[in-house]
Structures are given as C-alpha cells and as structure tokens.
Amino acid sequence: MTVNEIAKVLEELAPLAHAEDFDNVGLLVGDPNMKVQGLLVTLDTLENVVDEAIEKRCNLIVSFHPIIFKGLKKLTGSNYVERVVIKAIANNIAIYSMHTALDNSKMGVNAKICEVLGLKNPEILIPRANSIKKLTTYAPIADAENIKLALFKAGAGNLGKYSNCSYSLNGIGSFKAENGANPAVGKVGEIHSEKETQINVIFSFEKEKSILKALFNAHPYEEVAYEVLTLENTNQDLGMGMIGELDTEMDEKQFLLFTKERMNASIVRHSKLLGNKVKKVAVLGGSGAFAIGAAKKAGADIYVTADLKYHDFYQAENQLVVADIGHFETEQFTKDLLVDYLTKKIPNFAVSLSESITNPIKYL
C-alpha cells in the first residue's frame, strides 16, 4: 500500500475536514505515492520515535500530535522539530498527523476515554454546528430511485443510526431548451413539462464534492437543477468531548481514584468535592477548559480533562467537579485505538505500536 492509500483508510475514521481550523493535519512529511513497508503509531513524533521507526523498518509514522504545527522557516536542526523533520527526510520516512480530526470523531480520542472508564451510552458533548448540509434536486420520476441510490453510495442520507434517509415529493417541472441545448426530454425551442420527483437528502459537509459528482453522473438531464443549503442543526456524530454514564454510581472521591488508576495518572487536580454521587461523566482529551460550560449544561457530575489553569477551577461553581488528570494521560490510549483500527482495516499489513513514552512532564 502507498502512503496515500493508508491515509484514505485513516480518513474514513477521521476526515481531515473535521479538524479545527487552527490545526495542521494530514501528511506533513514525505511522498504520498511512496510504498509503505511498515507503519508505526505514536502519540508524538520525536527523535527517538523516528529512531524506533528506523529500527522496526517502518517508513510511515502515524502520529496523533503534529510535529509541524507552526510554519518552519528553516531546517538547520536548531530545535527538536527541525531535527525530527531532517531525520525523517534523511531516512525516507513519512509522517502523518490526525490530531483534532480524531478529537472530533465519534469513534476517536474521547470515545476511547469513555471505553477505558467504562462509560455507557456516550454522546458528543459539543456537537459541531454548521456541518450538516441539505441537497435538493429534481429528476424525472423514472430516474429518481437510481439517483437516490447514487447519492446514498456517495455518503448522503445518514442520520444518526439510520442510513439511506431521504424525502421525495412528486410534481411538475417545466423548461424550454434553447438553441445549442441537447435535452434528455422535450424538444429545442418548445416549453416542456415533465413529471418529476423532488429529492431531498442531508450529508456531512466534507462530502459535498463527491455527492455532487454522484448527482451529475446519475442524472439524465444536461443541466441539473439543484440547491445546497447549510443547516443550523448540530451534528450529533461530530464534535468535541463526550458524555456518558457509569453502570453504578460512585462517590466523587471514589470516582477520582478510579479514574487515576484506569487512566494511569500520577496526579489528579480537581475542584471542590460537592458530596454528590457520580453517574454522568463528561470527558475531553487534551486541553479542555473551553468545555467546562458545556459539561455543566449537559448535567455532568464530573468533567475529566487536562491543562486547566488556576481560574478554570472556579468555573465549576459548585455545579460539578472538574478534574485535570494531565494532557498525555487523557490521550495516551489513542495509540491503541489507532493500532486496533488499522489492524482491522488492513489485517495483512505490518502495524506497530510505538514503545516510546513521549510524555514531557515528569512528577516527583
């Protein structure tokens, strides 16, 4: 397989279009057409990780965090980022990053945290707005079903746990083909009326190009009448953080100790304990101060995240407990998630889990 072919497999899990605008995701180093001999999955791409890839004969590194985040103006090896890129290029190793594209995936970073903590019925904590679009088009009644099937195949019509969703309405369409036109029905120069079906389907925004291509290929008309609208509905399958429930409620301290153990955390920093039972738990891997309000609004008893500052803990406002278990600690199981996913999708390919511990923070 080539780097590009493996990237397409990864983008089924986490389309790059789902990444946040500030992020730098996708292929950061290397030739997309290079044949991949072995693949190493890591949380961070550091020099020792590149050395590990060389030792294991892996010429593609799939990393959660992007090694290149800000623009590089030179490559002289003056810092760890430049040294990693130089070493990767010198050894013909490609580097691919997923970061917030995987953060926003319903089967990504936060789903893995829910799995480790045993949370049931997980849902997106902050569903993405303005990410659902609606296509309306018109076609001869006899062609409507084939067009719908083509749209479904391209990814339209998915709504929660349902697929092939659409709404159709029959009516009469009219047009006049002018000179130079080649109408599928009717004659040039004559007003023609045709019994047509109005087809309505929704789709995730990143699929617009492929869905329109499928529409144009399947539609019999020379000029296809259609409109695409962005809906205000939030996308329940895309967004930051998750919230789920424990099978059995716990005391707050009991849950924090449970979380510390399950997440291999050295330290848990938390806001004031309220003396409540913990049933609903919100989680967000990485820096999650921005989602404290969403966790409160969702009725979480505890919110588990990382990188909270002094004043962030005040935002709990006696409505829930906020807990900071460490950035690395919230994301460490992402490697296992990706290895499991790739092993299932490409079972006959060599996928290795990096043994390098890349947490830069040490505790006394």
Side-chain angles (χ1 to χ4, degrees), residues 7 9-18 96 98 101-103 105 341:
V9 173
L10 290 167
E11 287 165 32
E12 291 176 21
L13 172 66
L16 297 183
H18 290 177
Y96 182 96
M98 305 183 74
L102 192 59
D103 278 324
S105 171
Y341 173 78

Side-chain angles (χ1 to χ4, degrees), residues 19-41:
E20 298 297 310
D21 292 339
F22 64 80
D23 208 0
N24 190 31
V25 293
L27 184 62
L28 306 185
V29 176
D31 179 2
N33 297 312
M34 179 179 69
K35 274 202 163 185
V36 179
Q37 300 167 342
L39 189 161
L40 182 69
V41 176

